[in-house]
Amino acid sequence: MKKSLYFFYNSIFFQHFAYGIIIPTLIIWQNRNGLSFSEIALIQSIGLVFLMLAEVPSSFFADKAGRKITLIIGLLFTLFSFVFLIFASGFTLFLLFQIFFSIGLAFLSGTEEAFLHDIVHDKKIFTHYLGSMSASDELGTIFGILMSSLLIGLSSITFSFQVAFISLTIALFSMIPIKPDASNLNENDSPATNPNKLLFTKISVSLLIFMLIFGLFAERGELVYQYAFNSLGINLESLGLIYLIAKVFSLIGARLSHFVENKIKTHMALIISGIFQMIAFALLIAASSIVAIVSLCIFFFSENIFRNIRNSFILKNSPHAQRATNLSLISFSSSIILILSKISIGWTLDIRLLYAVIFIMALKIIAIILLTDISKSVENSIGK
């Protein structure tokens, strides 16, 4: 198990090293290549359509044909997408990058967590392993962001994309030697032997609604933060350092998620995370570089706690044969909301940042209200 975990965390690290390279610069780079924020939002929304279309089928394929082969396919799609990004200078190539990148993410989304569950033997501390996965994710992103700043300063942004391509290649080859724990291959999912599966069957409808509520939480702030930093006159090299600082807080959030899960009820932890995200977005109205950096740190910290607790809840209460599929439903439901919200946010950003912040905060408030109501209904159902 230790050897497989090493290769798994290594693959996660190099995947997110590549993502870290593009996180602080991609949207601003697209804008400086002549794309308006409305066009960038349109590209992201089209990518989300492809993500949504591939999300559930790819995870169903993972549960039936194998999670490892699904992850390899996802990495191949992601690797291919960076070919377009390296040569992109206009709308069409940026769009092709987003489409193939989104399809790759669809194959990876949910399947990674489900495959980790297959690798791990001790399920009682699975959230700990999930936190370690997030730590590998965040460390990779942090080093990628740092490398982005260095490469842009020393060479060019195109060269940084080429380094990201190499990193994804390493991630792909790291996935090949991994083997699941043998005891997980014959896991018994019958309700009689596993009470959690009975719980899942009982609240499956409410759980699907719960997943949809995540879609209301889902705006991750890429457009808003990069618009804010661009309007404050922060250059590309400095952006890497800013995201590096923020990702340290994201790493702290990843490590604290297991502690938070044990101390607070799941729905309360998610609600608190949503409130912190609202505070983060509200701070952007101050139009101050320092306040914007603080805002990004708060957002990354709370968003990572939310993500780990949500994934742990779904995995612990899903049958073995449905884990990747159920996790993919989270991204599927998110995409439904994000397709509309990205276009709305892109349009409002071309007018004024304040309108975009108000729109996002309205989504969070609606999510908190619905999550509170659904959680009470689920608890009452279980009580009966």
Side-chain angles (χ1 to χ4, degrees):
M1 186 186 83
K2 288 183 179 179
K3 184 177 179 181
S4 290
L5 280 173
Y6 168 79
F7 280 110
F8 180 79
Y9 291 144
N10 191 63
S11 180
I12 296 296
F13 176 89
F14 281 102
Q15 281 179 53
H16 290 271
F17 181 87
Y19 304 157
I21 286 176
I22 67 172
I23 281 174
T25 57
L26 178 59
I27 292 174
I28 292 177
W29 179 244
Q30 290 172 328
N31 183 244
R32 293 183 182 180
N33 273 278
L35 275 65
S36 68
F37 279 92
S38 297
E39 289 175 317
I40 296 169
L42 178 61
I43 287 174
Q44 292 190 355
S45 296
I46 293 171
L48 285 167
V49 171
F50 281 87
L51 176 70
M52 184 175 67
L53 292 174
E55 187 73 49
V56 177
S58 64
S59 295
F60 182 79
F61 174 81
D63 285 332
K64 300 301 178 184
R67 289 158 187 160
K68 179 177 173 179
I69 187 63
T70 305
L71 292 175
I72 290 173
I73 293 171
L75 286 168
L76 286 171
F77 268 105
T78 309
L79 194 63
F80 186 60
S81 73
F82 271 73
V83 175
F84 294 109
L85 182 59
I86 289 168
F87 296 101
S89 60
F91 184 89
T92 302
L93 287 181
F94 279 124
L95 176 61
L96 288 172
F97 158 74
Q98 194 67 52
I99 288 172
F100 282 93
F101 185 72
S102 297
I103 294 172
L105 287 182
F107 275 83
L108 297 171
S109 174
T111 307
E112 289 176 332
E113 291 86 349
F115 191 48
L116 175 62
H117 202 273
D118 291 342
I119 297 170
V120 170
H121 180 73
D122 188 356
K123 301 298 188 292
K124 293 180 180 179
I125 55 171
F126 176 68
T127 307
H128 166 75
Y129 290 107
L130 202 58
S132 296
M133 173 183 162
S134 291
S136 300
D137 163 339
E138 299 302 339
L139 283 172
T141 306
I142 287 169
F143 281 101
I145 289 169
L146 180 60
M147 185 59 69
S148 174
S149 293
L150 292 174
L151 293 175
I152 292 171
L154 295 173
S155 182
S156 67
I157 192 168
T158 302
F159 181 60
S160 73
F161 296 155
Q162 293 169 347
V163 172
F165 181 89
I166 295 171
S167 181
L168 285 169
T169 304
I170 297 172
L172 175 63
F173 282 99
S174 295
M175 191 63 68
I176 295 173
I178 301 174
K179 296 179 181 179
D181 187 84
S183 64
N184 293 323
L185 299 178
N186 299 311
E187 185 176 342
N188 192 335
D189 280 327
S190 67
T193 58
N194 194 332
N196 277 344
K197 310 311 178 282
L198 183 61
L199 170 64
F200 179 81
T201 302
K202 188 172 183 178
I203 65 169
S204 57
V205 176
S206 297
L207 190 57
L208 291 177
I209 298 173
F210 179 86
M211 292 175 183
L212 182 58
I213 293 169
F214 170 70
L216 299 177
F217 273 116
E219 176 50 47
R220 299 178 182 91
E222 298 99 332
L223 280 172
V224 177
Y225 277 106
Q226 295 212 12
Y227 175 92
F229 289 132
N230 194 38
S231 64
L232 289 167
I234 298 173
N235 60 39
L236 291 176
E237 293 88 344
S238 298
L239 269 180
L241 295 176
I242 290 170
Y243 273 82
L244 177 65
I245 295 168
K247 277 296 178 180
V248 171
F249 284 85
S250 186
L251 179 62
I252 295 170
R255 301 306 296 172
L256 281 177
S257 57
H258 178 61
F259 173 80
V260 173
E261 185 185 42
N262 289 332
K263 298 295 182 181
I264 307 174
K265 287 185 177 181
T266 298
H267 74 276
M268 281 304 301
L270 301 182
I271 288 170
I272 291 170
S273 172
I275 292 171
F276 271 96
Q277 290 176 37
M278 287 174 59
I279 293 170
F281 284 117
L283 288 173
L284 289 176
I285 300 173
S288 161
S289 297
I290 295 175
V291 175
I293 294 169
V294 172
S295 167
L296 187 65
C297 292
I298 294 172
F299 176 77
F300 276 0
F301 172 77
S302 58
E303 195 269 342
N304 215 354
I305 290 177
F306 177 89
R307 179 159 52 97
N308 282 338
I309 293 176
R310 176 208 68 202
N311 289 347
S312 176
F313 176 79
I314 300 298
L315 284 167
K316 287 179 178 179
N317 295 288
S318 297
H320 179 269
Q322 292 176 234
R323 284 177 187 141
T325 303
N326 290 334
L327 279 173
S328 74
L329 287 171
I330 297 171
S331 295
F332 179 83
S333 59
S334 300
S335 299
I336 295 172
I337 302 297
L338 281 171
I339 288 169
L340 299 174
S341 68
K342 288 290 184 185
I343 295 173
S344 301
I345 289 167
W347 176 71
T348 53
L349 283 174
D350 282 333
I351 302 173
R352 194 176 176 187
L353 174 63
L354 175 63
Y355 299 150
V357 171
I358 292 172
F359 178 79
I360 293 171
M361 291 183 70
L363 288 181
K364 305 294 182 185
I365 291 170
I366 293 170
I368 289 171
I369 293 170
L370 290 176
L371 182 55
T372 302
D373 184 62
I374 295 297
S375 298
K376 288 180 180 178
S377 299
V378 171
E379 287 177 357
N380 292 335
S381 174
I382 294 173
K384 294 177 181 179

